[in-house]
Amino acid sequence: MNIDMEKLGLSDSFKEQSLSYPDLFIGRVISQFKGIYKAALKDGEILAEVLGKLRHEASSPLSFPAVGDFVMLDRNSNKSGNAIIHKILERKSVFIRKAAGTAHEAQIVAANIDTVFICMSLNNDFNLRRLERYISIAWDSGAIPVVVLTKSDLCENIAFRLKEVDSVAMGVDTLVTSSLGKDGISAILPYIKPGKTVAFIGSSGVGKSTLINRLAEKDLFATKELRNDDKGRHTTTRRELILLENGGAVIDTPGMREIGIESADLSKSFSDIDALSKECRFRDCKHEREPGCAVLKAVEDGVLDEQRLASYKKLQKEASYEGLNSKQIESKKLNAMFSEFGGMKNFKKNLKEKYKLER
C-alpha cells in the first residue's frame, strides 16, 4: 500500500529537515498506544518504538513522539521487527495541555496541525469559560483555531448562543454544525484541504467522532449517545490521524472535560482586554484597584463582562504570566522552549561558541 505523503502533510520544510538523515526514512506518527507508535511512510504503515538514547535523554513527555509528528525511522517495514524512531523533526505547531491528575505533566494532544477545530455542543456542554481556555491554548499552539458548535438540532436559540460565542472568540471563525445528514458538516469542508492537517478537540460527547465519520463518509470511529444527564461519554480512547479521500488529514482526540494550561496566548484570545490594558495609567496594572485602570472602567461601564476579566486573571495565573508584560511573557516562553539548553541565553551563548570553533 503506497501512501501519498504530500497529502498527509509532508511539506518542503520537513523534506529539507530529513535530508540531514540520509540513512533513515521519514514517516508520520498516525497513532500511539503506550510505548508503541504506528507511522505512515510512502511504502505503507509500520509499528515503531523510540530509540533507547532518545528515551534516555528525554527531559519530559514533550520530548517523545506524538500523533502528527514527522519522525525519522531506521526502516520502512516490520519484516525484521518494529522500526526504531531516531529523530523527531521540528514541529511547526503543537497543541499542549497540562494533564489531569496529581502530576500535572505537560501532554501533547496533537502536533503539526494547521487548524484546531474546538468543538462545543449547543446543549448542556455549552461553556464560555472553557471555550476561552481552549482558544488560548490553540492560539499558543501555532495552529489556527476555529470554533465548531455541534448539535444545532438540540438548540432552540442559536442566534443567542452565537452572540455569546462572538463575545469571547474575537478573530476566530465560528461554525454551526449538526450530526444529522451530510449538510450538517458543509461549513467544515472548506477547511479540509490536501496537505493540511486539522484536529478535532473538545469535551466528551460533543460529536467530534461523528463529524469525522461524516467527513470520511464511513464509520471510522465508534460513537455513543449522551448519558441521561446530557454529559458526554468517553468514546475515543486515543489520538489517531487519518487521511480523507480528498487528501486532508484529520486527527481525532479523546474528550477533555478538564484542560490545564501549560502556556497560552492570552494577547490573542483576550485581545479586548489586551487592547484596554494599553490605556491603563500604569504599565504594570494588574486590574485590581489601581487608579486609572481602563479595564476596570470597562467593567464598570458594562463594556467588559466581569466574568471574562475573572477568567483572564485565572488563566494568566495558571500560565504563570501574572504581572508580566508581553515582552516578559515572550521571554518566558522562549526560555521554556530552550530549557534543555539552560534557557534561551545559554543556547545563544553555546551557539556562538560552536560557531567560533567551526571557524
Side-chain angles (χ1 to χ4, degrees):
M1 176 184 70
N2 291 328
I3 296 174
D4 188 330
M5 294 299 290
E6 279 74 21
K7 285 185 178 179
L8 201 63
L10 182 59
S11 64
D12 290 340
S13 173
F14 291 117
K15 288 179 185 176
E16 190 175 341
Q17 289 184 60
S18 70
L19 295 177
S20 299
Y21 311 94
D23 298 326
L24 301 176
F25 300 87
I26 188 168
R28 191 171 195 189
V29 177
I30 58 174
S31 68
Q32 173 189 357
F33 183 73
K34 295 185 178 179
I36 301 296
Y37 302 84
K38 183 185 284 186
L41 297 85
K42 67 176 183 177
D43 299 316
E45 298 176 358
I46 63 171
L47 296 179
E49 303 171 41
V50 172
L51 180 71
K53 182 182 178 184
L54 192 65
R55 186 186 303 276
H56 178 72
E57 294 177 350
S59 56
S60 76
L62 305 185
S63 304
F64 286 88
V67 171
D69 270 327
F70 281 94
V71 295
M72 302 305 301
L73 306 112
D74 69 340
R75 70 199 77 173
N76 61 355
S77 79
N78 288 133
K79 289 180 181 178
S80 55
N82 290 345
I84 303 299
I85 297 172
H86 283 248
K87 179 70 179 178
I88 303 168
L89 298 186
E90 185 180 342
R91 296 160 176 148
K92 70 175 182 180
S93 64
V94 57
F95 190 101
I96 300 172
R97 70 151 179 169
K98 257 183 190 168
T102 54
H104 294 300
E105 285 187 320
Q107 181 185 75
I108 297 177
V109 176
N112 298 314
I113 40 183
D114 297 284
T115 302
V116 178
F117 287 127
I118 302 168
C119 300
M120 184 170 71
S121 62
L122 286 161
N123 57 4
N124 287 355
D125 176 74
F126 192 86
N127 186 315
L128 292 178
R129 305 288 79 88
R130 191 191 308 131
L131 181 60
E132 289 169 335
R133 183 176 290 266
Y134 273 110
I135 292 173
S136 299
I137 300 174
W139 276 126
D140 190 66
S141 75
I144 303 297
V146 173
V147 176
V148 178
L149 299 175
T150 65
K151 306 187 180 182
S152 58
D153 49 297
L154 301 178
C155 182
E156 295 180 357
N157 196 337
I158 294 175
F160 177 72
R161 287 304 195 194
L162 279 171
K163 189 176 179 181
E164 286 188 300
V165 170
D166 288 343
S167 71
V168 303
M170 280 77 82
V172 178
D173 290 348
T174 301
L175 314 178
V176 177
T177 69
S178 168
S179 58
L180 302 178
K182 290 184 179 180
D183 291 341
I185 61 162
S186 57
I188 293 176
L189 293 175
Y191 297 86
I192 313 293
K193 299 176 182 177
K196 299 296 182 182
T197 302
V198 302
F200 285 78
I201 288 166
S203 303
S204 302
V206 298
K208 302 186 300 296
S209 298
T210 300
L211 288 174
I212 295 175
N213 286 341
R214 292 281 186 272
L215 288 170
E217 298 185 349
K218 53 186 169 183
D219 292 336
L220 295 170
F221 300 107
T223 58
K224 290 183 180 179
E225 297 299 321
L226 293 177
R227 302 185 322 211
N228 292 332
D229 60 2
D230 212 17
K231 301 290 186 181
R233 295 177 186 269
H234 287 276
T235 304
T236 301
T237 56
R238 64 176 184 268
R239 299 160 191 82
E240 191 164 353
L241 184 151
I242 61 164
L243 186 62
L244 299 176
E245 289 294 326
N246 73 345
V250 177
I251 297 176
D252 189 21
T253 65
M256 296 176 285
R257 190 157 296 281
E258 293 181 17
I259 179 164
I261 284 187
E262 172 67 15
S263 65
D265 192 335
L266 302 182
S267 64
K268 285 186 178 178
S269 56
F270 289 86
S271 57
D272 51 343
I273 295 178
D274 192 58
L276 284 168
S277 65
K278 290 178 172 59
E279 304 299 321
C280 292
R281 184 183 301 176
F282 302 108
R283 185 182 236 180
D284 59 348
C285 184
K286 294 181 180 178
H287 322 308
E288 297 290 351
R289 302 182 189 83
E290 298 91 338
C293 175
V295 175
L296 293 179
K297 182 70 166 58
V299 172
E300 186 182 324
D301 294 344
V303 176
L304 179 66
D305 186 350
E306 189 173 5
Q307 287 186 327
R308 180 160 170 79
L309 177 58
S311 177
Y312 169 78
K313 290 179 178 178
K314 182 179 180 181
L315 297 183
Q316 192 180 46
K317 190 172 184 179
E318 275 189 54
S320 303
Y321 298 157
E322 196 170 31
L324 303 181
N325 58 36
S326 57
K327 189 175 180 181
Q328 289 169 324
I329 290 172
E330 193 60 31
S331 177
K332 183 178 176 66
K333 285 183 181 179
L334 286 171
N335 278 326
M337 286 171 61
F338 293 94
S339 60
E340 60 185 289
F341 300 100
M344 184 64 175
K345 189 180 287 186
N346 282 337
F347 175 76
K348 286 182 176 179
K349 182 181 177 182
N350 292 336
L351 204 62
K352 284 181 181 179
E353 289 176 355
K354 183 180 178 183
Y355 177 72
K356 285 177 183 178
L357 290 172
E358 287 177 351
R359 292 185 65 186

